[in-house]
DNA sequence: GCGCTATCAGAAAGCGCTTTCCTGAGGTAC
DNA sequence: GTACCTCAGGAAAGCGCTTTCTGATAGCGC
């Protein structure tokens, strides 16, 4: 039975002794067909294990259902938390999902968008920080503009705002400020920040919100060390901080992933958490509660963010202005942050 | 510029004042075209932001490049480690990847396969444990059989062997046995196993290999507690074990994810690791080195497994028997397993 | 019986492309 | 000048489907 080809509707029709049109009608349930013919067609289709060619259908129907999701890495837990929600939401709507990882390569991101455009994807979702420079922005506009004006949908999560599309945005500034206030109320006064790349708006907001809250409390600004958004980055930033002589009582890592690296670095240097220094992160990715000590962080409703971005992308755009949905973060105090003795 | 439709090749051709055929030839670089016309077509295409309709291309070329990956959950680190390798391998070959999560629902798995079949996907990769029962097997065969005989490629990672397709298989039995021997040489003699669902061949092999090695050493078989493959499952199994009075010196969780749950449960009950009890896992997912204590486990080359499965799926099948690639696991001793005093 | 409408099913157009076939223009050889 | 070849580029077929159009048959009232 090595047919070397897929079964076509024509074959089904022939096998059932009806015309192509009738076979199509039966399988789409689109019009009345005599029961006898209907049965014959259905029998033939199942006999031949017929599956319609989705491309032919897409071509004639001029529509396609795929939702494309682009992020930098599937195995990043921040991303996969969001992706989980998005995939669930897509599955509920019977939409196939196409996922791609850019591995932080702008070229690849553009290439994937182009590919999704070629497939006439129903929606494109961009998750996580992009590449915030001029050239990239121009390239993005060149891809996304025609896609949007051809009726495509684009929505982003946690991206900088220069893309003028529907957005799900964590309240980074408020979350970081609330975290700072919690840490202040634990008695901390000297802070250091393990920052992600300073050009990303997520970083700007998280660091900015944090510093702002410190300033409002009349506390000196935190020392900021910049590193990539990764476990490795957190590790490196922390090592740098330690080597120049740490004089803070509390570290704030702008993402949990960085905090994980920070924790490892601290341990390697024999610095105890939280006895010697407190540590807090941001995002509440699933692993951080299993660390020792469990990590204080700002919890983001990751799955819900994924669901929301799908909903945004698929909403009725007819009377549409751009919509921005802000997701509040809640401070979760765990054991990685210590209360400092009152008379400091 | 709200065209409400995508630009077609015909529009490009008209804009450039050439025929459809010429425009196609230019954009595919498939035949000699006068430089002047070539330039006009390219200018028109870029002016109109033309992107070819991938469905039309797929239809006429009778081929499609998408690689489909199906697993139960994107946010499972075991899966995402493999997926990362697979996506990288696919990206190297310029193949788009379509990913789907079944959330452990057999119906959904079948539905996704059918969808990928409809899209005439180039290959379908199934990652992680499936559903090992009669009905499911029959349904799988009904989907996969026609797909294979139509020239589709299927490969699986870490699946039971009843699917007669190319397979990447961790050496679960050997890995678990090697782990057992390492633990024995640390002085442990009384073991308990936190097992995943007993019907899965992965579990059969891991538990079987472990017990076998114990038997060969003349050590009593480990007590086995069964639970789902999840943090929650590991937590529950451990709690059960503790409530009936733990008399083992070492726990073996059949997956790292379960070990994470076990560690949490132990901590909640005030049982210290490794002072009171040692704990070992399997897989070496990325988080376990950041636990306290870092987890002893059997390291699997997850990314490589992802790369291998793509290679298997895309290999030349012409003179093909089914191929099974076995991936060795290596025991990684970390601090979660203690050496027991010699005179036990 | 006739003419009318309903119902069902086949013929055919067309979705956006690639590719084969074919025509006509230009070049070369004699 | 004629015969022949080369080659650029247009016309058209066709990928597998959906859907409109059209035609055939049956049913009804008179």
């Amino acid at each position: 039975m090595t047919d070397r080809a897929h079964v076509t509707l024509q074959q089904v029709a022939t096998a059932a002794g009806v015309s192509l049109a009738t076979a199509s009608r039966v399988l789409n349930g689109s019009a009345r067909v005599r029961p006898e013919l209907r049965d014959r067609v259905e029998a033939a289709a199942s006999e031949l294990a017929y599956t319609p060619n989705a491309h032919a259908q897409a071509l004639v129907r001029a529509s396609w259902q795929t939702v494309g999701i682009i992020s930098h890495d599937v195995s990043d837990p921040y991303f996969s938390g969001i992706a989980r929600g998005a995939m669930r939401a897509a599955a509920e709507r019977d939409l196939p999902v196409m996922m791609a990882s850019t591995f932080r390569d702008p070229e690849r991101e553009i290439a994937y968008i182009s590919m999704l455009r070629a497939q006439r994807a129903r929606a494109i979702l961009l998750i996580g920080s992009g590449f915030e420079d001029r050239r990239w922005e121009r390239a993005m506009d060149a891809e996304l503009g025609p896609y949007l004006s051809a009726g495509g949908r684009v929505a982003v999560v946690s991206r900088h705002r220069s893309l003028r599309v529907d957005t799900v945005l964590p309240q980074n500034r408020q979350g970081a400020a609330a975290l700072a206030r919690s840490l202040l109320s634990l008695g901390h006064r000297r802070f250091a920040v393990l920052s992600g790349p300073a050009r990303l708006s997520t970083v700007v907001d998280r660091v900015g919100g944090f510093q702002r809250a410190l300033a409002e409390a009349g506390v000196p600004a935190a020392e900021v060390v910049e590193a990539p958004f990764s476990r490795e980055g957190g590790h490196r930033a922390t090592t740098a901080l330690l080597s120049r002589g740490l004089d803070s009582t509390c570290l704030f890592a702008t993402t949990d992933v960085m905090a994980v690296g920070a924790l490892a670095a601290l341990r390697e240097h024999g610095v105890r958490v939280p006895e010697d220094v407190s540590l807090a992160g941001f995002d509440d990715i699933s692993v951080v509660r299993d660390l020792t000590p469990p990590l204080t962080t700002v919890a983001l409703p990751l799955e819900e963010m994924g669901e929301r971005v799908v909903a945004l992308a698929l909403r009725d755009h007819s009377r549409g202005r751009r919509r921005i949905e802000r997701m509040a973060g809640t401070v979760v105090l765990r054991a990685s942050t210590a209360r400092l003795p009152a008379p400091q």
Side-chain angles (χ1 to χ4, degrees), chain A:
Chain A
M1 265 283 245
T2 313
D3 300 310
R4 289 289 93 186
H6 293 271
V7 176
T8 69
L9 185 58
Q10 180 62 68
Q11 296 175 43
V12 173
T14 305
V18 301
S19 76
L20 188 60
T22 302
S24 171
R25 278 189 277 253
V26 168
L27 296 173
N28 291 294
S30 58
R32 260 179 296 265
V33 174
R34 215 170 352 132
E36 181 212 340
L37 293 192
R38 168 180 304 273
D39 292 347
R40 283 201 340 241
V41 171
E42 279 169 354
S46 121
E47 174 73 24
L48 297 172
Y50 169 73
T51 303
N53 183 319
H55 300 300
Q57 291 183 320
L59 194 55
V60 59
R61 287 184 179 146
S63 83
W64 186 240
Q65 300 294 21
T66 304
V67 171
I69 301 183
I70 298 178
S71 76
H72 52 263
D73 191 352
V74 241
S75 60
D76 175 335
Y78 176 71
F79 163 71
S80 65
I82 295 173
R84 189 169 207 265
M87 295 187 90
R88 189 189 298 280
E92 273 166 16
R93 295 169 169 80
D94 274 322
L95 302 175
V97 169
M98 191 166 248
M99 269 183 43
S101 288
T102 64
F103 296 109
R104 300 199 185 276
D105 173 0
E107 308 285 338
R108 199 169 280 169
E109 175 160 286
I110 301 289
Y112 278 128
I113 293 176
S114 172
M115 187 197 87
L116 287 169
R117 199 149 85 82
Q119 297 182 21
R120 308 300 189 246
R122 170 106 165 249
I124 297 179
L125 311 180
L126 303 172
I127 301 186
S129 52
F131 311 92
E132 310 192 353
D133 69 62
R134 275 263 152 277
R135 259 197 48 194
W136 175 82
E137 259 174 53
R138 203 135 0 97
M140 284 296 273
D141 282 347
E143 286 293 335
L144 257 24
Y147 177 71
L148 286 167
S149 68
R153 271 65 182 303
V154 179
V156 307
V157 182
S158 192
R159 280 261 172 163
H160 70 142
R161 285 154 232 152
S162 74
L163 289 178
R164 316 224 58 253
V165 296
D166 288 347
T167 299
V168 172
L169 205 60
Q171 297 196 329
N172 290 314
R173 198 170 283 279
Q174 292 86 335
L179 176 64
R181 286 191 293 269
S182 296
L183 297 171
L184 285 166
S185 74
L186 287 176
H188 293 275
R189 293 295 178 270
R190 298 195 313 280
F191 297 91
V193 173
L194 311 173
S195 155
R199 311 171 69 184
L200 300 179
S201 56
T202 299
V203 172
V204 171
D205 289 348
R206 291 185 182 182
V207 176
F210 194 82
Q211 298 282 35
R212 176 88 184 255
L214 297 188
E216 284 171 356
V219 161
E223 176 180 10
V224 178
V225 188
E226 191 180 329
F229 259 165
S230 62
R231 181 187 185 282
E232 198 41 44
H235 190 283
R236 207 181 314 156
T238 306
T239 305
L241 216 48
L242 291 172
S243 72
R244 75 173 78 147
L246 180 66
D247 79 333
S248 310
T249 63
C250 184
L251 305 184
F252 165 46
T254 49
T255 66
D256 281 351
V257 171
M258 294 184 78
V260 170
L263 190 60
L266 291 169
R267 180 167 302 138
E268 286 162 22
H269 287 77
V271 180
R272 293 167 304 162
V273 177
E275 293 83 354
D276 300 328
V277 68
S278 289
L279 177 65
F282 203 115
D283 289 340
D284 200 28
I285 59 176
S286 58
V287 303
V288 298
R289 62 173 173 165
D290 287 314
L291 297 176
T292 309
L295 190 71
T296 289
T297 190
V298 179
L300 253 25
L302 298 179
E303 285 203 37
E304 191 188 337
M305 287 163 66
E307 284 166 18
R308 294 308 306 153
V309 73
V310 170
L312 272 187
L314 301 181
R315 76 190 169 93
D316 177 17
H317 280 55
S318 54
R319 50 196 167 73
R321 277 196 27 71
R322 177 191 189 196
R323 204 173 293 178
I324 298 185
E325 276 194 30
R326 303 184 188 276
M327 311 296 286
T330 51
V331 175
V332 181
L333 286 174
R334 297 203 183 94
S336 70
T337 46
R339 176 174 295 279
L340 252 43
Q344 202 248 0

